[in-house]
């Protein structure tokens, strides 16, 4: 489609094309729709010390956001010359969030004992308000004129508010003896308005203990070698309430306006009198069912860690093991269609565990010639497993709801058909199980042995969690020059590369749209018999958009996230100008990605993004006065 | 300093004192079912159920152009190509691919129908909370709701056969434990009949608000239910017997409608025009659409937004076979040779052709603007015809742009008086009283004959007469059956019922395989099409639903 016609107007689709608007026109029209966003935040506190070492503090923090936009819809002669209504919509949103924290802290030191006490409470409240007013039809299609007050057509107004509150009480005791033995006990009681009345509050205790071995007398002999050695253990519980503000409530609303724009009407108004227009009576729509039993999702974590530094901290690092159990995971599961409208309900679903190891190691130093370096790397891995699956959410995490369930597997494990290569000859097609849509050049799906390919042939296809993740940080300095290099990556994870639907098939995604060049290498029994890309087909008779291992690819990658080279002018030069520091630098982000050859998309980190992560180069000057 | 300290201590305790209320966050702009207590609110719940039957969706409309026309021999799918709305393509050619997982069409249709049913049941629960004294119209409203519940279950039934029947007393947990085979196919028909029976017994003959179901609408729908129910099917969808008692009920109920003030429109066209023509004497029950009503685009018939001849649509295109079926010889259908040649300029046809099908070079929808061949998106695949009944004059105010599509605010007639006449005729023929069916069919043909005021352009092509036993036909039972089935096809063409008629009669496989053979040369996508008996009479139960049911649902025979 050309962007414009010869007469200068935007072009639009012809009957044979898909029903899409001219994207250049949409982008261009959007230039008249700027928005402003103001955010104001800060806090004020009073801290009084009635007696020595006792601090009573009251802190009030406020975070306010304000968003305003005017959205203009211009007339546009499109298909068959019919215009869309010209409209102007003014919309505004406010987000107000405040937190009031009151704490009392007391420090106590007796000889080698040091203790910190903290008790406190915090109130959090957020209220979001938004509204919009729209009017259609304007005498002049001029952005300076198009304000709803002067519109002469239909008017629409919307407005809504939503909020939540949190209330927490907490206390903490820290104890340190001689900098060698450390312990702390925390207790929190958190309440959230998002849960059922009887389950708003939950208790989250935690404790930790540490032993700084390097401070023991018996380590004195090796203090030249072991500069720091600390063993720590911790156990604690935390809660999660990141769900909708009204997660526990019934949501029954009047939906007069409906939404026919997406080709589906959902409204509650009806022309019962058959008068063809005017104001209509309107009913209600159930959008969510209440759940009075909804409660906090709780994670219980146990850590054991060792921090170490050798040779005057030039070799340093930590080693850590954790075991994390998450119970009552908050989820709004899909539901049986026959329940109809408002089948949605937030529930406490499965439990899962994560076990992980993390190791980080660094080496730093400075040579006599003035060259200093700090090289550190980390590697970590975890294993995830669903450990409990209540009946009510049995099919909410994948599987078929009966024989194949997620229990015992990692969360988000892929479930679907195993693609077993292509049918390469008619003989192979004829010999194979009854697979609707099979033919030469099409994907062969693995059979469970019953001779028919159907939903019973779905299997667990792979784990999206990495075997391990890693990072490498290099910092070098030499006289005024500094160089930073940062690598990061992960290994062993599988990703679902949905872009293959457009790069490998003509008809799986919408045909008559742009497709990837991989299609050019599609299988053909004569000209390209070795290709693993299915032959080009005008229709998707084999249903190759189904979830299958064809789309599952290794997601391992290593990225050179950043390289930065800087040069700071010598002090001797700049101090005359009363400047503390002048540094010039050049920095590059996302410079290099190493990925698996088997990954056919652009970026394994974001496999379903059609755009690659952009590489950027920055030049800059830092000045400090 | 000391004063500040005291103030501070006092302030610190304020939150503690107000804690108990602090988490009582209000929910703004929402209600709960318990809030629906006033008569007005209960009436609103009823409205929302009515809104449900009008909440159509472009791809899977309740007008059933996909399931009823495209799947039968009346229409081609249309659109850009086979891949545009592809499940309909697989349904159109009876491809085994229709059973593949990931076919989104059936699942969404299934779910959307239960959305409407849940609104109806929600209204019924609200109605249960009020006494007859507080709300004199309570029983009427209950009857209206059961009418709507019968309507949606009916649609669900003729498409999926084995369905869960959901009533207002079922909790979400009950529904989750209700299998689609908990009731036999025949028992589901009985449940649907019970709903219409209740409506029939409790609805007034006239409703002050024209959009509400009345007694005659219920009688007609009950007749329709018994007509379908009477053709008993086994589990493999074979028609095994026909229940004469139930056909008698069809006749009795149809008689009541015939005795009512309802009648045939003077001109066939009036059924398919917006504005003043809506809710005419033939429309027993219509979905009321509206515009300029304060909703985004108007409450339009989105269900027909894909069938306008525009770049975003052009679906539901009348087949050559359907067009040919309108040909007449001596004023009667050309039963045996209608498909040997395509309709030509010199052929004589039934006037209803020009009310049903837009033909290039002929005026579009009674306007003076011709329908043009270039309005078709893919003529090599789907031919050049376009469907008229559901569409309006694009220059009229009833034609509205909604995003990339155009929709209109014309009512959709769910039950037409002509349909009732044909139902009665069918029941008479199947109970051996074919002579009594003759005047009914002729009544419809006569009306067609005089439906010419808007199609003067076609005057030279029109030729239609009534059946006259012994003169232009020999009205035997077999001939009567053939004539009835032909009449039904012409009269109800493109109204979403052809496929279900074929299944009811048990001849879907014969008719469709014959049709494929006739059409496959001109429309090559039919070349491998084959209607496998004992399978394609019904759609597969959506695999997604079998999944969510945790295996409780059973798949239909053949899939």
């Amino acid at each position: 489609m050309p962007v414009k016609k010869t007469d200068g107007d935007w072009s639009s689709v012809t009957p044979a094309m898909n029903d899409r608007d001219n994207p250049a026109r949409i982008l261009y029209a959007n230039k008249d729709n700027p928005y402003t966003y103001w955010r104001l935040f800060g806090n004020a506190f009073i801290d009084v010390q009635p007696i020595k070492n006792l601090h009573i503090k009251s802190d009030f923090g406020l975070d306010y956001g304000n968003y305003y936009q005017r959205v203009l819809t211009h007339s546009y002669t499109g298909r068959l010359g019919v215009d869309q209504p010209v409209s102007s919509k003014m919309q505004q949103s406010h987000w107000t969030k405040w937190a009031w924290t009151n704490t009392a802290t007391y420090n106590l030191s007796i000889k080698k004992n040091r203790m910190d006490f903290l008790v406190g409470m915090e109130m959090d409240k957020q209220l979001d308000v938004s509204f919009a007013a729209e009017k259609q039809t304007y005498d002049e299609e001029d952005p300076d004129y198009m304000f709803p007050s002067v519109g002469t057509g239909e008017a629409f107004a919307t407005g809504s508010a939503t909020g939540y509150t949190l209330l927490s009480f907490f206390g903490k005791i820290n104890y340190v003896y001689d900098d060698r033995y450390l312990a702390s006990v925390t207790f929190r009681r958190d309440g959230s308005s998002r849960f059922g009345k009887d389950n708003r509050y939950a208790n989250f205790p935690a404790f930790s203990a540490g032993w700084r071995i390097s401070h023991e007398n018996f380590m004195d002999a090796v203090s030249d070698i072991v500069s720091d050695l600390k063993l720590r253990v911790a156990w604690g519980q935390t809660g999660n309430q990141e769900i909708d503000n009204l997660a526990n409530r019934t949501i029954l609303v009047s939906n007069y306006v409906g939404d026919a724009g997406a080709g589906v009407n959902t409204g509650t108004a009806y022309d019962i009198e058959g008068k063809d227009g005017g104001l209509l009576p309107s009913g209600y729509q159930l959008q969510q069912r209440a759940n009075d039993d909804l409660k906090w999702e709780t994670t219980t974590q146990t850590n054991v860690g060792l921090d170490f530094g050798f040779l005057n901290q030039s070799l340093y690092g930590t080693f850590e093991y954790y075991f994390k159990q998450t119970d009552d995971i908050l989820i709004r599961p899909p539901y049986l269609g026959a329940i109809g409208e408002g089948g949605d309900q937030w529930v406490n679903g499965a439990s899962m565990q994560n076990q992980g190891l993390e190791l980080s190691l660094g080496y730093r130093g400075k040579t006599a010639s003035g060259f200093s370096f700090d090289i550190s790397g980390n590697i970590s891995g975890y294993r995830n497993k669903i450990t409990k699956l209540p009946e009510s959410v049995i099919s909410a995490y994948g599987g078929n709801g009966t024989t194949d369930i997620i229990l015992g597997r990692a969360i988000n494990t892929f479930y679907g058909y195993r693609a077993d290569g292509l049918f390469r000859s008619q003989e192979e097609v004829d010999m194979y199980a009854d697979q609707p849509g099979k033919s030469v050049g099409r994907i062969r799906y693995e059979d469970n042995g019953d001779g028919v390919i159907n939903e019973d042939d779905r299997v667990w296809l792979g784990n999206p969690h990495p075997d391990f993740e890693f990072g490498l940080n290099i910092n070098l300095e030499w006289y005024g020059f500094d160089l930073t290099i940062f690598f990061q990556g992960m290994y062993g994870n599988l990703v679902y590369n949905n872009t293959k639907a457009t790069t490998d098939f003509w008809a799986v995604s919408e045909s008559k749209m742009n497709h990837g060049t991989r299609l050019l290498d599609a299988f053909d029994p004569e000209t390209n018999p070795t290709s693993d890309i299915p032959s080009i087909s005008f229709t998707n008779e084999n249903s190759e958009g189904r979830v299958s291992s064809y789309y599952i690819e290794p997601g391992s990658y290593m990225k050179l996230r950043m390289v930065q080279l800087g040069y700071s002018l010598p002090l001797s030069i700049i101090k005359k100008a009363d400047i503390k520091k002048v540094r010039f630098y050049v920095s590059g982000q996302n410079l290099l990605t190493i990925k698996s050859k088997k990954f056919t998309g652009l970026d394994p980190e974001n496999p379903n993004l059609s755009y690659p992560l952009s590489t950027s180069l920055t030049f800059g000057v830092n000045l400090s006065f | 300093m000391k004063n500040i300290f005291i103030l501070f201590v006092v302030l610190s305790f304020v939150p503690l004192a107000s804690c108990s209320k602090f988490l009582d966050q209000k929910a703004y702009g929402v209600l709960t079912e318990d809030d629906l207590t006033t008569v007005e609110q209960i009436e609103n719940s009823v409205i929302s159920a009515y809104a449900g039957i009008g909440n159509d969706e472009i791809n899977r409309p309740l007008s059933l152009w996909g399931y009823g026309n495209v799947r039968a021999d009346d229409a081609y799918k249309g659109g850009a190509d086979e891949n545009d709305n592809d499940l309909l393509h697989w349904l159109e050619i009876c491809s085994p691919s229709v059973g593949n997982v990931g076919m989104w069409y059936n699942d969404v249709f299934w779910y959307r129908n239960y959305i409407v049913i849940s609104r109806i049941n929600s209204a019924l629960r609200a109605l249960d909370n009020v006494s007859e004294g507080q709300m004199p119209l309570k029983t009427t409203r209950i009857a209206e709701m059961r009418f709507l519940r019968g309507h949606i279950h009916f649609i669900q039934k003729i498409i999926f056969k084995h369905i869960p029947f959901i009533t207002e007393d079922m909790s979400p947990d009950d529904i989750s434990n209700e299998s689609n085979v908990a009731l036999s196919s025949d028992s589901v028909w009985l449940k649907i009949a019970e709903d219409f029976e209740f409506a029939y017994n409790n609805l007034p003959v006239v409703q002050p608000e024209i959009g509400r179901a009345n007694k005659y609408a219920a009688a007609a729908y009950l007749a329709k239910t018994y007509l379908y129910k009477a053709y008993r099917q086994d589990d493999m969808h074979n028609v095994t017997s026909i229940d004469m008692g139930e056909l008698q009920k069809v006749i009795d109920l149809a008689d009541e409608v015939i005795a009512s003030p309802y009648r045939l429109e003077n001109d066939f066209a009036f059924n398919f025009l917006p504005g003043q023509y809506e809710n005419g004497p033939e429309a027993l029950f219509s979905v009321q659409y509206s515009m300029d009503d304060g909703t985004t685009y108007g409450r339009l018939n989105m269900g027909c937004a894909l069938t306008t001849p525009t770049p975003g649509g052009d679906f539901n295109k009348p087949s050559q076979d359907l067009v040919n079926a309108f040909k007449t010889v001596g004023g009667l259908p050309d039963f045996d040779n209608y498909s040997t040649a395509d309709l030509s300029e010199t052929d004589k046809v039934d006037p209803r052709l020009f009310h049903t099908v837009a033909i290039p070079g002929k005026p579009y929808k009674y306007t003076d603007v011709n329908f043009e061949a270039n309005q078709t998106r893919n003529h090599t695949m789907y031919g050049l015809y376009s469907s008229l009944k559901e569409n309006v004059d694009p220059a009229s105010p009833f034609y509205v742009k909604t995003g990339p599509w155009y929709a209109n605010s014309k009512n959709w007639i769910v039950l037409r008086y002509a349909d009732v006449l044909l139902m009665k005729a069918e029941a008479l023929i199947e109970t051996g009283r074919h002579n009594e069916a003759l005047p009914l069919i002729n009544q419809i043909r006569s009306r067609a004959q005089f439906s010419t005021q808007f199609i003067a352009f076609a005057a030279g092509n029109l030729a239609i007469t009534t059946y006259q036993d012994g003169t232009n036909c020999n009205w035997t039972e077999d001939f009567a059956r053939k004539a009835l089935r032909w009449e039904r096809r012409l009269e109800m063409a493109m109204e979403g019922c052809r496929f279900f008629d074929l299944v009811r009669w048990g001849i879907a496989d014969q008719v469709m395989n014959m049709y494929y053979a006739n059409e496959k040369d001109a429309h090559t996508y039919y070349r491998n099409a084959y209607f496998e008996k004992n399978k394609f009479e019904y759609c597969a139960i959506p695999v997604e639903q079998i999944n969510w049911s945790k295996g409780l649902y059973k798949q239909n025979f053949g899939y």
Side-chain angles (χ1 to χ4, degrees), chain B residues 431-502:
Chain B
T431 48
R433 297 157 64 184
H434 52 275
N435 285 332
E436 294 170 61
L438 180 64
L440 294 171
I441 294 172
N442 280 342
Q443 199 184 336
I444 287 184
R445 292 184 70 77
S446 300
R447 192 271 297 268
Q449 189 178 351
F450 297 109
S451 299
T452 55
Q453 70 174 95
F454 293 129
I455 54 167
F457 63 86
N461 291 100
L462 305 181
I464 177 172
T465 62
T466 54
Y467 291 105
Q468 289 137 31
D469 188 20
T471 309
N472 62 3
C473 67
N474 185 10
W475 193 259
T476 61
E477 182 185 322
D478 283 349
F479 184 83
R481 183 176 293 117
K482 186 157 79 169
L484 175 276
R485 288 178 178 181
W486 207 276
E487 201 62 35
R488 232 195 126 71
R489 187 178 189 196
L490 301 188
E491 176 71 18
M492 305 301 292
M494 307 301 284
E495 292 185 53
C497 59
R498 172 71 176 166
F499 184 82
F500 311 110
D501 288 340
L502 297 177

Side-chain angles (χ1 to χ4, degrees), chain A residues 257-278:
Chain A
V257 171
D259 175 25
V264 46
N265 211 329
T266 54
T268 55
Y270 191 70
D271 180 22
I272 197 76
E273 294 173 55
K275 56 186 181 173
D276 271 1

Side-chain angles (χ1 to χ4, degrees), chain A residues 15 17 56 58 123 200 249 252 256-257 263 266-267 269-270 272 276 283-284 335 337 341 402 507 538 541, chain B residues 8 15 24-25 31 44 48 55 58 82-83 97 111 118-119 211 278 288 291 293 296 299 377 545 547 550:
Chain A
M17 296 166 79
I56 298 179
S58 184
M123 300 170 87
R200 283 174 178 172
R249 316 290 179 93
L252 182 74
Y256 186 98
V257 171
T266 54
Y270 191 70
I272 197 76
D276 271 1
Y284 318 98
Y335 59 90
E341 205 160 60
T402 47
F538 200 54
E541 195 152 5
Chain B
F8 175 73
D24 289 336
Q25 172 66 42
L31 296 166
N44 286 342
S48 142
N55 280 354
I58 52 162
E82 300 111 308
N83 203 33
S97 300
Y111 172 53
S118 67
R119 280 197 187 180
E278 291 171 345
Q288 308 288 324
M291 54 183 294
D293 51 17
T296 313
R299 285 195 49 85
R377 296 174 70 186
Q545 298 304 324
N547 248 1
K550 299 162 198 160

Side-chain angles (χ1 to χ4, degrees), chain B residues 161-460:
Chain B
K161 187 168 186 169
H162 289 293
I163 59 161
F165 190 92
I166 308 299
T167 51
E168 78 279 10
D169 53 345
M170 293 167 78
S171 70
D173 283 345
D174 294 338
I175 296 170
S176 302
N177 292 317
E178 180 79 5
S179 169
N180 69 325
V181 292
L183 298 174
S184 69
S185 168
D186 198 54
S187 305
V188 174
W189 277 130
L190 206 60
K191 285 275 191 186
I192 294 169
E194 276 169 20
D195 269 352
F196 286 126
E197 186 110 41
F198 184 91
Y200 169 69
N201 288 328
N202 292 283
L203 284 173
V205 293
V206 178
Q207 288 269 26
E209 286 150 322
I210 197 79
R212 296 185 190 276
N214 64 21
K215 189 180 186 69
Y216 298 121
Y221 224 138
L222 183 56
K224 190 175 175 184
T225 305
Y226 278 125
L227 183 67
Y228 275 78
K229 182 176 184 303
Y231 292 79
R232 294 287 193 277
Q233 287 178 2
D234 63 14
D235 226 29
M236 296 162 68
H237 327 316
N238 297 307
V239 176
T240 51
S241 66
I242 304 178
D243 188 295
M244 297 298 143
E246 283 169 3
L247 290 183
Q248 187 55 48
K249 288 185 183 172
V250 176
I251 296 166
D252 296 343
L253 288 159
D255 279 338
E256 260 196 76
V257 178
I258 290 167
S260 78
Y262 286 98
R263 58 172 173 83
L264 289 180
E265 289 274 14
N266 294 331
D267 193 303
F268 189 60
F270 298 168
N271 287 302
F272 311 109
L273 284 167
Q276 66 192 87
Y277 294 98
E278 291 171 345
N279 300 310
E282 191 169 339
L284 285 155
F285 185 73
S286 306
V287 179
Q288 308 288 324
Y289 291 109
S290 53
M291 54 183 294
D292 295 333
D293 51 17
T295 67
T296 313
Y297 297 103
R299 285 195 49 85
L300 306 168
N301 180 1
M302 291 308 293
C304 293
L306 284 185
T307 76
T308 58
T310 59
D314 200 34
F315 285 85
N316 190 35
K317 292 175 80 67
S319 71
Q320 187 64 51
D321 190 84
L322 175 68
V323 169
N324 292 345
F326 283 93
K327 285 197 278 189
T328 58
V329 174
L332 296 184
D334 187 6
F335 290 112
D336 300 320
N337 299 312
Y338 80 101
S339 64
T340 47
D342 290 348
L343 180 77
S344 74
E345 277 290 335
T346 55
D347 281 328
K348 297 294 183 196
V349 295
D350 187 309
R352 285 171 289 187
L353 172 65
F354 300 101
H355 297 279
T356 308
V357 181
I359 298 171
K362 307 267 185 221
Y364 181 80
K365 196 70 194 180
Y366 320 133
T367 64
D368 48 13
V369 179
N370 282 352
F371 176 66
E372 298 295 348
N374 68 7
Q375 287 177 255
T376 283
R377 296 174 70 186
N378 189 338
H379 70 90
T380 51
M381 293 191 73
Y382 298 120
L384 290 169
Y385 302 122
S386 188
S387 174
L388 283 177
K389 283 181 172 175
E390 72 277 27
N391 279 308
V392 298
D393 170 9
S396 76
F398 307 100
Y399 188 70
V400 183
K401 187 178 199 291
T402 65
W405 308 287
Y406 297 92
N408 67 65
S409 68
K410 184 171 65 176
N411 286 357
W412 175 260
I413 300 180
V414 173
L415 269 174
R416 204 142 70 69
Y417 182 84
D419 195 0
V420 177
L421 293 182
L422 290 168
M423 287 193 261
K424 184 184 169 190
E426 183 177 334
L428 287 167
I429 292 166
E430 298 304 333
T431 48
R433 297 157 64 184
H434 52 275
N435 285 332
E436 294 170 61
L438 180 64
L440 294 171
I441 294 172
N442 280 342
Q443 199 184 336
I444 287 184
R445 292 184 70 77
S446 300
R447 192 271 297 268
Q449 189 178 351
F450 297 109
S451 299
T452 55
Q453 70 174 95
F454 293 129
I455 54 167
F457 63 86

Side-chain angles (χ1 to χ4, degrees), chain A residues 49 78 185 195 293 301 338 602 607:
Chain A
Q49 194 175 358
V185 179
F195 296 110
D293 297 328
Q301 180 166 346
L602 289 167

Side-chain angles (χ1 to χ4, degrees), chain A residues 13-19 46 48 50 56-58 79-80 82-84 98 100 102 121 123-125 127 154 156 161-167 169 191-193 197 200-201 246 249-253 256-258 260-274 276-278 280-285 289 334-341 391 394-395 399-402 417 436-437 455 458 507 509 511-512 538-543 546, chain B residues 1 5 8 11-12 15-16 18-19 22-33 36 41 44-45 47-48 50-51 53 55-58 80-83 86 89-90 95-97 100-101 103 110-112 114-115 118-119 164 166 172 175-176 209-212 275 278-279 286-300 302 309-312 374-377 398 401-406 409 411 543 545 547-551 553:
Chain A
V13 294
T14 62
M17 296 166 79
N18 289 358
D19 50 1
I46 310 172
V48 290
I56 298 179
K57 183 176 174 183
S58 184
R79 308 141 214 266
L80 297 184
V82 177
D83 286 355
Q84 56 193 3
W98 59 255
W100 189 8
N102 296 296
M121 57 88 61
M123 300 170 87
D124 285 272
K125 187 175 173 77
L127 181 66
E154 278 205 271
F156 302 97
T162 176
Y164 76 97
T165 49
L166 278 173
L167 181 60
F169 304 92
S192 167
S193 63
K197 228 178 172 67
R200 283 174 178 172
Y201 286 96
L246 298 181
R249 316 290 179 93
T250 297
I251 302 182
L252 182 74
V253 295
Y256 186 98
V257 171
V264 46
N265 211 329
T266 54
T268 55
Y270 191 70
D271 180 22
I272 197 76
E273 294 173 55
D276 271 1
L280 308 175
S282 173
Y284 318 98
Q285 179 185 35
R289 285 185 287 146
Y335 59 90
L336 193 65
I339 293 171
E341 205 160 60
E391 176 71 20
I394 205 159
S395 44
N400 64 6
T402 47
Y417 293 84
E455 62 272 19
R458 290 174 300 172
S509 65
S511 49
K512 299 196 173 178
F538 200 54
T539 59
N540 180 25
E541 195 152 5
N542 200 27
S543 196
R546 68 178 88 187
Chain B
M1 179 64 209
F5 175 61
F8 175 73
L11 272 179
S12 295
L16 288 171
S18 61
C19 278
F22 186 67
L23 292 181
D24 289 336
Q25 172 66 42
K26 291 209 170 50
Y28 303 111
V30 302
L31 296 166
T32 69
E33 272 190 335
L36 308 181
Q41 286 169 328
N44 286 342
S45 302
I47 292 296
S48 142
Y50 274 103
I53 64 163
N55 280 354
D56 236 328
E57 195 254 5
I58 52 162
D81 54 29
E82 300 111 308
N83 203 33
D86 69 347
H89 173 67
W90 309 127
S95 160
S97 300
N100 279 339
V101 175
M103 287 296 181
W110 172 283
Y111 172 53
R112 288 183 54 76
Y114 283 110
I115 285 181
S118 67
R119 280 197 187 180
I166 308 299
I175 296 170
S176 302
E209 286 150 322
I210 197 79
R212 296 185 190 276
E278 291 171 345
N279 300 310
S286 306
V287 179
Q288 308 288 324
Y289 291 109
S290 53
M291 54 183 294
D292 295 333
D293 51 17
T295 67
T296 313
Y297 297 103
R299 285 195 49 85
L300 306 168
M302 291 308 293
T310 59
N374 68 7
Q375 287 177 255
T376 283
R377 296 174 70 186
F398 307 100
K401 187 178 199 291
T402 65
W405 308 287
Y406 297 92
S409 68
N411 286 357
V543 168
Q545 298 304 324
N547 248 1
W548 305 137
S549 81
K550 299 162 198 160
Y553 286 7

Side-chain angles (χ1 to χ4, degrees), chain A residues 242-476:
Chain A
E242 287 308 314
I243 46 175
D244 296 349
N245 287 341
L246 298 181
N248 66 325
R249 316 290 179 93
T250 297
I251 302 182
L252 182 74
V253 295
S254 187
N255 181 6
Y256 186 98
V257 171
D259 175 25
V264 46
N265 211 329
T266 54
T268 55
Y270 191 70
D271 180 22
I272 197 76
E273 294 173 55
K275 56 186 181 173
D276 271 1
L279 281 184
L280 308 175
S282 173
Y284 318 98
Q285 179 185 35
L286 185 64
Q287 294 182 339
Q288 180 180 284
R289 285 185 287 146
N291 181 0
D292 291 336
D293 297 328
L294 194 68
K295 60 186 178 190
W296 287 79
E297 170 183 318
T298 307
T299 297
T300 308
Q301 180 166 346
T302 308
N303 294 38
V304 181
L306 188 69
D307 301 334
F308 53 85
F310 299 110
L311 306 169
N312 198 21
Q313 293 297 99
S314 61
L315 181 67
Y316 61 94
T318 65
F319 178 76
E320 181 146 347
Y321 164 81
Y322 64 84
F323 181 91
K324 208 158 86 172
Q325 172 79 27
T326 305
D327 293 308
D328 303 318
I329 293 175
L330 293 162
I331 185 173
R332 189 161 54 178
Y335 59 90
L336 193 65
I339 293 171
E341 205 160 60
D344 276 318
Q345 186 180 42
W346 281 97
V347 297
N348 294 102
S351 299
M352 69 176 175
Q353 75 179 35
N354 279 292
Q355 279 190 81
L357 284 175
E358 289 176 10
L359 173 68
S360 70
L361 208 57
Y363 185 58
R364 62 190 157 205
K366 191 168 185 174
T367 62
S369 59
F371 175 72
S372 70
F373 59 91
D374 184 351
I375 299 166
S376 64
N378 62 70
I379 184 164
S380 65
Y382 67 91
R383 296 293 172 264
N384 176 288
K385 188 163 85 174
I386 298 280
T387 54
K388 197 177 122 196
L389 189 65
E391 176 71 20
S392 57
V393 292
I394 205 159
S395 44
Y397 299 87
N400 64 6
T402 47
T403 48
D404 278 345
I405 57 174
I406 193 84
L407 191 67
R409 298 176 188 278
I411 195 163
N412 299 328
T413 300
F414 303 116
Y415 184 73
Y417 293 84
R418 195 177 301 287
D420 180 24
L422 306 180
F423 291 107
R424 293 182 189 273
S425 68
Q426 190 56 42
E427 198 185 0
E428 280 182 33
V429 175
D430 296 340
M431 297 276 286
Y432 199 61
D434 179 10
Q435 176 182 316
K438 65 178 176 177
S439 63
V440 175
R442 303 261 53 86
I443 297 177
R444 175 171 56 203
Y445 295 104
E446 207 169 270
D447 184 23
N448 61 3
D450 66 358
V452 189
I453 304 299
N454 58 18
E455 62 272 19
D456 296 336
D457 294 298
R458 290 174 300 172
V459 291
W460 298 100
L461 294 174
N463 190 330
H465 303 273
D467 294 342
F468 60 87
E469 293 166 81
F470 57 90
L472 179 66
N473 231 322
I474 301 170
N475 290 296
L476 306 174

